[in-house]
mmCIF file of all heavy atoms in Angstrom:
data_model
loop_
_atom_site.group_PDB
_atom_site.id
_atom_site.type_symbol
_atom_site.label_atom_id
_atom_site.label_comp_id
_atom_site.label_asym_id
_atom_site.label_seq_id
_atom_site.Cartn_x
_atom_site.Cartn_y
_atom_site.Cartn_z
ATOM 1 N N LEU A 1506 68.690 135.639 158.812
ATOM 2 C CA LEU A 1506 67.658 135.730 157.764
ATOM 3 C C LEU A 1506 67.570 137.177 157.217
ATOM 4 O O LEU A 1506 67.456 137.365 156.023
ATOM 5 C CB LEU A 1506 66.363 135.208 158.320
ATOM 6 C CG LEU A 1506 65.173 135.169 157.285
ATOM 7 C CD1 LEU A 1506 65.479 134.133 156.236
ATOM 8 C CD2 LEU A 1506 63.915 134.762 158.030
ATOM 9 N N ASN A 1507 67.542 138.131 158.127
ATOM 10 C CA ASN A 1507 67.430 139.536 157.756
ATOM 11 C C ASN A 1507 68.640 139.912 156.888
ATOM 12 O O ASN A 1507 68.519 140.660 155.863
ATOM 13 C CB ASN A 1507 67.361 140.497 158.915
ATOM 14 C CG ASN A 1507 65.934 140.351 159.578
ATOM 15 O OD1 ASN A 1507 65.044 140.007 158.924
ATOM 16 N ND2 ASN A 1507 65.939 140.689 160.872
ATOM 17 N N SER A 1508 69.814 139.503 157.252
ATOM 18 C CA SER A 1508 71.038 139.729 156.556
ATOM 19 C C SER A 1508 70.979 139.080 155.140
ATOM 20 O O SER A 1508 71.349 139.705 154.121
ATOM 21 C CB SER A 1508 72.249 139.173 157.250
ATOM 22 O OG SER A 1508 73.391 139.272 156.503
ATOM 23 N N LEU A 1509 70.504 137.887 155.065
ATOM 24 C CA LEU A 1509 70.297 137.172 153.792
ATOM 25 C C LEU A 1509 69.257 137.929 152.876
ATOM 26 O O LEU A 1509 69.551 138.017 151.665
ATOM 27 C CB LEU A 1509 69.876 135.741 153.932
ATOM 28 C CG LEU A 1509 70.941 134.812 154.499
ATOM 29 C CD1 LEU A 1509 70.400 133.399 154.733
ATOM 30 C CD2 LEU A 1509 72.144 134.746 153.465
ATOM 31 N N GLN A 1510 68.236 138.385 153.438
ATOM 32 C CA GLN A 1510 67.264 139.123 152.771
ATOM 33 C C GLN A 1510 67.864 140.446 152.199
ATOM 34 O O GLN A 1510 67.588 140.853 151.015
ATOM 35 C CB GLN A 1510 65.996 139.512 153.557
ATOM 36 C CG GLN A 1510 65.066 138.266 153.760
ATOM 37 C CD GLN A 1510 63.856 138.601 154.644
ATOM 38 O OE1 GLN A 1510 63.924 139.560 155.427
ATOM 39 N NE2 GLN A 1510 62.876 137.704 154.561
ATOM 40 N N GLY A 1511 68.645 141.191 152.944
ATOM 41 C CA GLY A 1511 69.291 142.364 152.559
ATOM 42 C C GLY A 1511 70.237 142.008 151.371
ATOM 43 O O GLY A 1511 70.307 142.775 150.375
ATOM 44 N N ASN A 1512 71.050 140.974 151.488
ATOM 45 C CA ASN A 1512 71.924 140.604 150.398
ATOM 46 C C ASN A 1512 71.199 140.198 149.100
ATOM 47 O O ASN A 1512 71.568 140.458 148.041
ATOM 48 C CB ASN A 1512 72.776 139.386 150.847
ATOM 49 C CG ASN A 1512 73.867 139.792 151.851
ATOM 50 O OD1 ASN A 1512 74.099 140.990 151.994
ATOM 51 N ND2 ASN A 1512 74.378 138.790 152.648
ATOM 52 N N GLN A 1513 69.999 139.534 149.317
ATOM 53 C CA GLN A 1513 69.202 139.143 148.239
ATOM 54 C C GLN A 1513 68.722 140.338 147.431
ATOM 55 O O GLN A 1513 68.681 140.446 146.264
ATOM 56 C CB GLN A 1513 68.093 138.253 148.607
ATOM 57 C CG GLN A 1513 67.129 137.789 147.516
ATOM 58 C CD GLN A 1513 65.972 136.989 148.016
ATOM 59 O OE1 GLN A 1513 65.571 137.077 149.163
ATOM 60 N NE2 GLN A 1513 65.395 136.211 147.129
ATOM 61 N N GLU A 1514 68.203 141.335 148.221
ATOM 62 C CA GLU A 1514 67.796 142.662 147.600
ATOM 63 C C GLU A 1514 68.842 143.311 146.826
ATOM 64 O O GLU A 1514 68.715 143.814 145.681
ATOM 65 C CB GLU A 1514 67.200 143.559 148.650
ATOM 66 C CG GLU A 1514 65.879 143.083 149.226
ATOM 67 C CD GLU A 1514 65.353 143.913 150.351
ATOM 68 O OE1 GLU A 1514 65.906 144.976 150.614
ATOM 69 O OE2 GLU A 1514 64.373 143.536 150.959
ATOM 70 N N SER A 1515 70.083 143.331 147.417
ATOM 71 C CA SER A 1515 71.212 143.924 146.773
ATOM 72 C C SER A 1515 71.531 143.136 145.531
ATOM 73 O O SER A 1515 71.819 143.726 144.483
ATOM 74 C CB SER A 1515 72.418 143.941 147.684
ATOM 75 O OG SER A 1515 73.622 144.273 147.044
ATOM 76 N N LEU A 1516 71.514 141.867 145.516
ATOM 77 C CA LEU A 1516 71.774 140.997 144.378
ATOM 78 C C LEU A 1516 70.719 141.240 143.340
ATOM 79 O O LEU A 1516 71.072 141.408 142.046
ATOM 80 C CB LEU A 1516 71.791 139.552 144.772
ATOM 81 C CG LEU A 1516 72.064 138.573 143.637
ATOM 82 C CD1 LEU A 1516 73.477 138.773 143.050
ATOM 83 C CD2 LEU A 1516 71.887 137.092 144.187
ATOM 84 N N LEU A 1517 69.487 141.346 143.675
ATOM 85 C CA LEU A 1517 68.425 141.588 142.683
ATOM 86 C C LEU A 1517 68.550 142.955 142.013
ATOM 87 O O LEU A 1517 68.359 143.112 140.801
ATOM 88 C CB LEU A 1517 67.019 141.518 143.343
ATOM 89 C CG LEU A 1517 66.609 140.094 143.724
ATOM 90 C CD1 LEU A 1517 65.268 140.186 144.507
ATOM 91 C CD2 LEU A 1517 66.434 139.276 142.462
ATOM 92 N N LYS A 1518 69.051 143.937 142.791
ATOM 93 C CA LYS A 1518 69.250 145.301 142.215
ATOM 94 C C LYS A 1518 70.360 145.260 141.213
ATOM 95 O O LYS A 1518 70.372 145.797 140.107
ATOM 96 C CB LYS A 1518 69.538 146.390 143.277
ATOM 97 C CG LYS A 1518 68.352 146.766 144.077
ATOM 98 C CD LYS A 1518 68.753 147.749 145.120
ATOM 99 C CE LYS A 1518 67.508 148.042 146.023
ATOM 100 N NZ LYS A 1518 67.886 149.019 147.097
ATOM 101 N N ARG A 1519 71.507 144.536 141.577
ATOM 102 C CA ARG A 1519 72.613 144.343 140.589
ATOM 103 C C ARG A 1519 72.153 143.596 139.362
ATOM 104 O O ARG A 1519 72.614 143.984 138.253
ATOM 105 C CB ARG A 1519 73.789 143.722 141.273
ATOM 106 C CG ARG A 1519 74.525 144.561 142.296
ATOM 107 C CD ARG A 1519 75.777 143.982 142.744
ATOM 108 N NE ARG A 1519 75.522 142.657 143.267
ATOM 109 C CZ ARG A 1519 76.171 142.075 144.255
ATOM 110 N NH1 ARG A 1519 77.214 142.631 144.750
ATOM 111 N NH2 ARG A 1519 75.840 140.896 144.739
ATOM 112 N N ILE A 1520 71.329 142.546 139.530
ATOM 113 C CA ILE A 1520 70.902 141.809 138.370
ATOM 114 C C ILE A 1520 70.064 142.706 137.492
ATOM 115 O O ILE A 1520 70.160 142.659 136.235
ATOM 116 C CB ILE A 1520 70.121 140.579 138.852
ATOM 117 C CG1 ILE A 1520 71.078 139.554 139.447
ATOM 118 C CG2 ILE A 1520 69.425 139.993 137.704
ATOM 119 C CD1 ILE A 1520 70.462 138.325 140.087
ATOM 120 N N GLU A 1521 69.203 143.540 138.112
ATOM 121 C CA GLU A 1521 68.341 144.430 137.312
ATOM 122 C C GLU A 1521 69.216 145.389 136.614
ATOM 123 O O GLU A 1521 69.003 145.686 135.373
ATOM 124 C CB GLU A 1521 67.368 145.106 138.269
ATOM 125 C CG GLU A 1521 66.369 146.009 137.500
ATOM 126 C CD GLU A 1521 65.403 146.631 138.576
ATOM 127 O OE1 GLU A 1521 64.968 145.978 139.466
ATOM 128 O OE2 GLU A 1521 65.075 147.773 138.282
ATOM 129 N N MET A 1522 70.224 146.025 137.220
ATOM 130 C CA MET A 1522 71.072 146.966 136.568
ATOM 131 C C MET A 1522 71.894 146.288 135.425
ATOM 132 O O MET A 1522 71.995 146.839 134.358
ATOM 133 C CB MET A 1522 72.096 147.499 137.610
ATOM 134 C CG MET A 1522 73.001 148.585 137.076
ATOM 135 S SD MET A 1522 74.110 149.383 138.212
ATOM 136 C CE MET A 1522 75.184 147.971 138.524
ATOM 137 N N ASN A 1523 72.386 145.041 135.669
ATOM 138 C CA ASN A 1523 73.088 144.342 134.547
ATOM 139 C C ASN A 1523 72.109 144.095 133.412
ATOM 140 O O ASN A 1523 72.518 144.157 132.244
ATOM 141 C CB ASN A 1523 73.688 142.993 135.098
ATOM 142 C CG ASN A 1523 74.835 143.222 136.001
ATOM 143 O OD1 ASN A 1523 75.402 144.340 135.958
ATOM 144 N ND2 ASN A 1523 75.216 142.277 136.765
ATOM 145 N N ALA A 1524 70.880 143.683 133.674
ATOM 146 C CA ALA A 1524 69.918 143.440 132.608
ATOM 147 C C ALA A 1524 69.652 144.780 131.804
ATOM 148 O O ALA A 1524 69.595 144.691 130.586
ATOM 149 C CB ALA A 1524 68.670 142.884 133.162
ATOM 150 N N HIS A 1525 69.505 145.832 132.490
ATOM 151 C CA HIS A 1525 69.361 147.133 131.855
ATOM 152 C C HIS A 1525 70.570 147.478 131.008
ATOM 153 O O HIS A 1525 70.379 147.858 129.832
ATOM 154 C CB HIS A 1525 69.182 148.261 132.933
ATOM 155 C CG HIS A 1525 69.024 149.610 132.348
ATOM 156 N ND1 HIS A 1525 67.902 150.034 131.660
ATOM 157 C CD2 HIS A 1525 69.861 150.640 132.335
ATOM 158 C CE1 HIS A 1525 68.054 151.217 131.235
ATOM 159 N NE2 HIS A 1525 69.246 151.665 131.625
ATOM 160 N N LEU A 1526 71.735 147.271 131.484
ATOM 161 C CA LEU A 1526 72.953 147.527 130.712
ATOM 162 C C LEU A 1526 73.064 146.631 129.448
ATOM 163 O O LEU A 1526 73.378 147.040 128.400
ATOM 164 C CB LEU A 1526 74.223 147.346 131.542
ATOM 165 C CG LEU A 1526 74.468 148.397 132.647
ATOM 166 C CD1 LEU A 1526 75.667 148.065 133.471
ATOM 167 C CD2 LEU A 1526 74.687 149.751 132.002
ATOM 168 N N GLU A 1527 72.617 145.356 129.703
ATOM 169 C CA GLU A 1527 72.626 144.371 128.593
ATOM 170 C C GLU A 1527 71.656 144.836 127.456
ATOM 171 O O GLU A 1527 71.963 144.689 126.308
ATOM 172 C CB GLU A 1527 72.292 143.021 129.126
ATOM 173 C CG GLU A 1527 72.313 141.952 128.040
ATOM 174 C CD GLU A 1527 72.019 140.539 128.596
ATOM 175 O OE1 GLU A 1527 72.057 140.411 129.762
ATOM 176 O OE2 GLU A 1527 71.748 139.684 127.751
ATOM 177 N N ARG A 1528 70.459 145.338 127.904
ATOM 178 C CA ARG A 1528 69.534 145.815 126.905
ATOM 179 C C ARG A 1528 70.078 146.949 126.077
ATOM 180 O O ARG A 1528 69.914 147.071 124.924
ATOM 181 C CB ARG A 1528 68.157 146.131 127.634
ATOM 182 C CG ARG A 1528 67.351 144.981 127.975
ATOM 183 C CD ARG A 1528 65.975 145.376 128.405
ATOM 184 N NE ARG A 1528 65.962 146.283 129.552
ATOM 185 C CZ ARG A 1528 65.907 145.922 130.848
ATOM 186 N NH1 ARG A 1528 65.936 144.600 131.123
ATOM 187 N NH2 ARG A 1528 65.894 146.726 131.826
ATOM 188 N N GLU A 1529 70.720 147.878 126.860
ATOM 189 C CA GLU A 1529 71.366 148.989 126.120
ATOM 190 C C GLU A 1529 72.414 148.564 125.148
ATOM 191 O O GLU A 1529 72.527 149.142 124.058
ATOM 192 C CB GLU A 1529 71.925 150.012 127.178
ATOM 193 C CG GLU A 1529 70.962 150.846 127.911
ATOM 194 C CD GLU A 1529 71.604 151.734 128.883
ATOM 195 O OE1 GLU A 1529 72.872 151.935 128.908
ATOM 196 O OE2 GLU A 1529 70.850 152.346 129.721
ATOM 197 N N ILE A 1530 73.225 147.704 125.552
ATOM 198 C CA ILE A 1530 74.291 147.161 124.688
ATOM 199 C C ILE A 1530 73.699 146.457 123.484
ATOM 200 O O ILE A 1530 74.277 146.707 122.385
ATOM 201 C CB ILE A 1530 75.199 146.145 125.477
ATOM 202 C CG1 ILE A 1530 76.092 147.000 126.493
ATOM 203 C CG2 ILE A 1530 76.097 145.395 124.519
ATOM 204 C CD1 ILE A 1530 76.892 146.054 127.430
ATOM 205 N N VAL A 1531 72.686 145.650 123.635
ATOM 206 C CA VAL A 1531 71.999 144.983 122.556
ATOM 207 C C VAL A 1531 71.419 146.078 121.606
ATOM 208 O O VAL A 1531 71.575 145.917 120.338
ATOM 209 C CB VAL A 1531 70.958 144.012 123.009
ATOM 210 C CG1 VAL A 1531 70.139 143.557 121.896
ATOM 211 C CG2 VAL A 1531 71.673 142.806 123.669
#
Side-chain angles (χ1 to χ4, degrees):
L1506 183 63
N1507 287 336
S1508 172
L1509 287 174
Q1510 283 178 341
N1512 289 342
Q1513 182 183 19
E1514 288 174 10
S1515 171
L1516 179 65
L1517 287 174
K1518 285 180 184 178
R1519 285 189 306 210
I1520 289 173
E1521 183 179 323
M1522 184 177 69
N1523 286 344
H1525 178 71
L1526 289 174
E1527 184 178 344
R1528 283 190 300 271
E1529 285 182 9
I1530 288 171
V1531 168

